[in-house]
Amino acid sequence: MSKRSESRAAGMSVRAGILVTGTEVLDGRVRDRNGPWLADRLRELGVDLGYLTIVGDRPQDMERALEFMADQGIDLVLTSGGLGPTADDLTAEVVGRFQGREMVLDEALADRIEMIVRPLLRRWPNIDPEAIRTGTRKQAMVPKGATVLEPVGTAPGLVVSPSVPTGGPTVVVLPGPPRELQPMWSAAVETQALREAIAGATVYEQRTMRMFGIPESEIAETLRQAEGRGIELGKLEVTTCLKRGEIEVVTRYEPDAAGVYEEFERLVSERHADTLFSTDGDTVDVQVAKMLRGNESRPPRTIAVAESCTGGELTSRLTGPAGASEYVKGGVVVYANDAKVALAGVDPRLIEEHGAVSEQVARALAEGVRARMDVDVGVGVTGVAGPDGGTAQKPVGLVWLSVAGPDSASITRSVNLPGGRADIRDRATTVALHMVRRLLLGESDG
Amino acid sequence: MSKRSESRAAGMSVRAGILVTGTEVLDGRVRDRNGPWLADRLRELGVDLGYLTIVGDRPQDMERALEFMADQGIDLVLTSGGLGPTADDLTAEVVGRFQGREMVLDEALADRIEMIVRPLLRRWPNIDPEAIRTGTRKQAMVPKGATVLEPVGTAPGLVVSPSVPTGGPTVVVLPGPPRELQPMWSAAVETQALREAIAGATVYEQRTMRMFGIPESEIAETLRQAEGRGIELGKLEVTTCLKRGEIEVVTRYEPDAAGVYEEFERLVSERHADTLFSTDGDTVDVQVAKMLRGNESRPPRTIAVAESCTGGELTSRLTGPAGASEYVKGGVVVYANDAKVALAGVDPRLIEEHGAVSEQVARALAEGVRARMDVDVGVGVTGVAGPDGGTAQKPVGLVWLSVAGPDSASITRSVNLPGGRADIRDRATTVALHMVRRLLLGESDG
């Protein structure tokens, strides 16, 4: 569904590439968190992302990847990583050479880094000061004429334009640790060099719809119907994906195609009324947080969880958002049967009669934790996450879930989830959040 | 520290690239789990990974990335994603064109996909069968002469060699969902086409050491000392990285450099005796799981957690490994003060006198949950994860942790963790696991 290439051909859009460096990232030992974050920031700036490439700490591979991006007519390259004090951190040097700029020692910068590093060393009294100084001076070597971004950790960043005007992309060099990279990106955006590189970017609109409980092929069919109804899909870039059991439909368009998007959203709302749960991009996590949180007109609605097979993941997801302590009172992870009895007040006879993974026990967990923790909403989850413990009657992937609210409102369901242990735990958590959402919207089995 | 380029120059190693497709992955809406997994598999095969590139669902960008890898002399490209039934799934077609092979409908394959899809549709009675058939036939279009990998989900994979011998890399086309990609990779490895592409790969050794509680610059110093002592570091490819507060040192070498590695490991063990916790690659999660699990000579050691600021993450991490139900009895997430009292038996006067985030309350949580859940090891965590709730005395990032074992053994510590809410929760979980490990190894404050 990509129609963006047309507008690019018309020379309207500014294109970027992201180059993540680090053998540990290429190897998969460290997950790249910067690429996705920078992709979001580029979108906000109206810059189109073409490529994200990960290379190891090998200068030659880094150089080749930069050349590739330059060959594709990329206007802006963002690099992350390779700015540390060790000898395998080579990004600044490689970018300097790529841009035709000599490396020079910035003495004042070296002093500022030293000022940052010194107090950190108090934690390690036996450290070698000479080792530190060598690292500091290495980090203060910068390409001549580059704009320096002040370090948030110990590594400075750089905005490096080509030494010859119109000689290729501007390169923004950022450190690897996300909490250093993120504030330094904000500083980079303010620099003259970066502003020049992205002058003329078209700011696209982006909207997200989310659905729960239908297969992806149904969205493909909706897109075909949209074409049949004369909705000009060519003006929209629609991508759909399946994520944690939910379908996410993201659409980008130039501001003048807003009317086309409205028509498309209306069609989706008609065809998928029962499964569409978000048209503003909010995830179910955010929706649940908003519904639980208090406001001027009502106090918070409190929640507590009694979870078995999800092992703490549901409580962890509920407590993820800032301010969750206002409405999450707590949770119990009740792996062992006696924990189900002791912590969530499940009647041991229910477990004997129906087994720990059963409708009755899921209900008892939800109601038990609701009563014991004196909250508005109780959630119970019990299932077989595997890989062992499955039987013919209760196979790996079977999960019973129950939510209990005020006035005897409750919803109880079972699901048979595919995948391995981690998938089952993750999906069951998502199902539970959707059940909490529906209960808070007033649905109930009874 | 990369010295591999020398051996590559000597023509000894087979090089691969990974090409992940999908606008949702490039945008960062879906995390790429295939790249890291495939990187591990390539390493096992002795194939050197040069580049991992992510592109959106734009055929032109995909083609350019394939051309780039071919230009770099890459022998093998693995692609993931873009094999679904929707119109934006274009990988098979692009790879066919890139390899100079015409697309043909594999009728028998279309029938097999239909057989897989039909039973899945029973879950959705209102689905349009024609929409499904269109998707099925699209998925059965394959480049002429390619080796088909039978679908695990609904999408077949492909091994596509160039139509002209020595005409570039062999491309293995795999689906996006990890639980489809992984078994299909095993099938790909058995194909003649893939075996030919990687013939002659050198199988490298790889070893991992892990340290906890020192800065990365100390490892740089150790590497310098190694050179001073005449250890031939040129024969080792050492990469270090900081990960969840731990330092990971991964070393790759050709089999004949095993002696050099032994010398290097000995030096690290000497210099970092107090912080080196793993020389076999085991993470602290795995070490703790092994120590808790029972064996022929002793029963499992049971554990339970009372956690506040980590919100369920510690219990979730402890219950992650298969078989955790043998030793994890459960946990309580005690966000609210009354939950600390009711679920972990904390004396409310302790909270009044010292505050919820205090040494006394951390101890009471560990001891309380140990007694209440009748386990060998109790863990208590209480802290300020932020972004709000910090004070001058108890700033955001302050976390008190305590572990209590049999015979009054216990360890209690506070840490001041940097970063945002998610970082603090994550790091505190890691610190707690290290404290459990040390208690299980026999350490105690008392």
Side-chain angles (χ1 to χ4, degrees), chain A residues 29 52 54 243 319 331 333, chain B residues 29 52 54 243 331 333 421:
Chain A
R29 279 175 283 136
L52 188 158
I54 306 177
K243 196 171 156 180
T319 57
V333 181
Chain B
R29 279 175 284 135
L52 188 158
I54 306 177
K243 196 171 157 179
V333 181
R421 181 177 175 86

Side-chain angles (χ1 to χ4, degrees), chain A residues 119-337:
Chain A
L120 297 178
L121 299 183
R122 284 191 213 119
R123 290 165 68 184
W124 292 290
N126 302 323
I127 225 153
D128 177 354
E130 208 37 58
I132 298 299
R133 207 178 321 273
T134 309
T136 304
R137 291 180 77 82
K138 179 202 158 293
Q139 289 181 300
M141 292 291 291
V142 301
K144 202 171 174 177
T147 307
V148 171
L149 305 170
E150 285 302 306
V152 169
T154 66
L158 299 165
V159 183
V160 195
S161 36
S163 56
V164 194
T166 73
T170 293
V171 183
V172 181
V173 177
L174 297 164
R179 72 166 172 277
E180 297 179 25
L181 174 136
Q182 295 178 9
M184 286 170 74
W185 168 251
S186 305
V189 170
E190 300 300 317
T191 62
Q192 179 78 10
L194 178 53
R195 290 188 166 272
E196 277 168 15
I198 65 168
T202 307
V203 179
Y204 291 89
E205 303 282 329
Q206 174 165 317
R207 298 285 297 274
T208 301
M209 293 183 271
R210 295 177 194 281
M211 278 155 263
F212 180 65
I214 53 167
E216 208 180 347
S217 58
E218 276 292 275
I219 304 301
E221 178 56 23
T222 303
L223 289 167
R224 277 188 289 272
Q225 292 206 1
E227 273 169 350
R229 291 199 192 184
I231 298 176
E232 293 178 88
L233 279 188
K235 295 197 166 175
L236 309 177
E237 178 179 350
V238 183
T239 49
T240 65
C241 73
L242 197 65
K243 196 171 156 180
R244 281 189 148 169
E246 299 174 352
I247 289 184
E248 190 181 71
V249 178
V250 174
T251 307
R252 288 180 70 193
Y253 50 90
E254 295 190 20
D256 64 7
V260 181
Y261 182 75
E262 296 309 321
E263 286 178 77
F264 174 56
E265 189 185 284
R266 209 172 307 128
L267 175 65
V268 173
S269 306
E270 274 170 43
R271 273 187 50 89
H272 305 290
D274 47 341
T275 54
L276 179 71
F277 69 91
S278 173
T279 55
D280 61 1
D282 275 357
T283 59
V284 68
D285 301 59
V286 170
Q287 291 187 338
V288 165
K290 284 182 179 171
M291 289 193 267
L292 292 171
R293 208 180 289 152
N295 57 34
E296 283 139 27
S297 58
R298 63 158 182 77
R301 294 193 271 195
T302 53
I303 191 166
V305 174
E307 54 186 322
S308 177
C309 62
T310 43
E313 283 195 16
L314 178 57
T315 310
S316 174
R317 226 166 126 182
L318 279 169
T319 57
S325 55
E326 190 201 317
Y327 51 84
V328 181
K329 262 207 167 172
V332 293
V333 181
V334 286
Y335 246 45
N337 284 344

Side-chain angles (χ1 to χ4, degrees), chain B residues 19-94:
Chain B
L19 179 57
V20 174
T21 69
T23 303
E24 71 280 10
V25 187
L26 181 62
D27 276 6
R29 279 175 284 135
V30 168
R31 168 163 49 123
D32 170 38
R33 290 202 282 147
N34 295 327
W37 189 86
L38 289 169
D40 270 344
R41 299 294 81 70
L42 288 170
R43 189 169 50 230
E44 288 166 4
L45 288 176
V47 174
D48 186 41
L49 176 60
Y51 303 91
L52 188 158
T53 292
I54 306 177
V55 297
D57 295 313
R58 295 169 180 167
Q60 208 186 350
D61 291 351
M62 220 181 287
E63 249 166 55
R64 294 280 163 77
L66 286 170
E67 282 160 15
F68 167 70
M69 291 193 185
D71 289 348
Q72 306 312 313
I74 292 287
D75 307 289
L76 179 69
V77 177
L78 315 182
T79 75
S80 90
L83 297 180
T86 51
D88 57 354
D89 293 309
L90 291 158
T91 307
E93 195 186 318
V94 168

Side-chain angles (χ1 to χ4, degrees), chain B residues 81-394:
Chain B
L83 297 180
T86 51
D88 57 354
D89 293 309
L90 291 158
T91 307
E93 195 186 318
V94 168
V95 170
R97 192 160 54 227
F98 176 74
Q99 297 291 44
R101 293 181 185 273
E102 184 195 345
M103 297 301 283
V104 291
L105 176 65
D106 184 332
E107 294 275 3
L109 178 59
D111 291 346
R112 292 201 297 279
I113 298 173
E114 182 108 25
M115 295 276 284
I116 297 168
V117 172
R118 212 174 297 151
L120 297 179
L121 298 182
R122 283 192 213 119
R123 289 165 69 183
W124 293 290
N126 302 321
I127 225 154
D128 178 354
E130 208 37 58
I132 298 298
R133 206 179 319 274
T134 308
T136 304
R137 291 180 77 83
K138 179 201 158 293
Q139 288 181 301
M141 293 291 293
V142 301
K144 203 171 173 176
T147 307
V148 171
L149 304 170
E150 283 304 307
V152 170
T154 66
L158 299 164
V159 183
V160 195
S161 37
S163 55
V164 195
T166 74
T170 292
V171 183
V172 181
V173 177
L174 296 165
R179 71 164 172 278
E180 299 178 24
L181 174 136
Q182 294 177 9
M184 287 170 73
W185 169 252
S186 306
V189 170
E190 299 301 317
T191 62
Q192 179 78 10
L194 179 53
R195 290 187 166 271
E196 277 170 15
I198 64 170
T202 307
V203 179
Y204 292 88
E205 304 282 328
Q206 175 166 317
R207 299 286 297 274
T208 302
M209 293 183 271
R210 295 177 195 280
M211 277 156 263
F212 181 65
I214 53 165
E216 209 179 347
S217 58
E218 276 292 275
I219 304 302
E221 178 56 24
T222 303
L223 289 167
R224 277 188 289 272
Q225 293 206 2
E227 274 169 350
R229 291 202 192 181
I231 298 177
E232 292 179 85
L233 279 188
K235 295 198 168 177
L236 308 177
E237 178 180 349
V238 182
T239 50
T240 64
C241 74
L242 197 64
K243 196 171 157 179
R244 281 189 148 170
E246 298 174 353
I247 289 184
E248 190 180 70
V249 178
V250 174
T251 307
R252 288 180 71 194
Y253 49 90
E254 294 189 21
D256 65 7
V260 181
Y261 182 75
E262 296 308 322
E263 287 178 75
F264 174 56
E265 189 185 284
R266 209 172 306 128
L267 175 65
V268 172
S269 306
E270 274 169 43
R271 273 187 50 90
H272 305 290
D274 47 342
T275 56
L276 179 71
F277 69 90
S278 173
T279 54
D280 62 1
D282 276 357
T283 59
V284 67
D285 302 59
V286 170
Q287 291 186 338
V288 165
K290 284 182 178 171
M291 288 192 268
L292 293 170
R293 209 180 289 153
N295 56 33
E296 284 139 27
S297 57
R298 65 159 179 77
R301 294 192 271 195
T302 53
I303 190 166
V305 174
E307 54 185 322
S308 177
C309 62
T310 43
E313 281 193 19
L314 178 56
T315 310
S316 175
R317 226 166 126 182
L318 278 170
T319 57
S325 56
E326 188 200 317
Y327 50 84
V328 180
K329 263 207 164 172
V332 292
V333 181
V334 286
Y335 246 44
N337 284 345
D338 53 351
K340 292 180 179 74
V341 174
L343 293 174
V346 174
D347 183 339
R349 284 170 305 183
L350 283 181
I351 301 177
E352 249 168 68
E353 263 176 61
H354 307 283
V357 178
S358 61
E359 178 174 359
Q360 292 80 359
V361 170
R363 265 182 215 282
L365 287 170
E367 285 160 12
V369 78
R370 180 172 182 272
R372 291 236 167 166
M373 301 197 63
D374 190 22
V375 289
D376 298 314
V377 180
V379 188
V381 184
T382 178
V384 190
D388 303 318
T391 63
Q393 281 73 40
K394 295 180 179 177

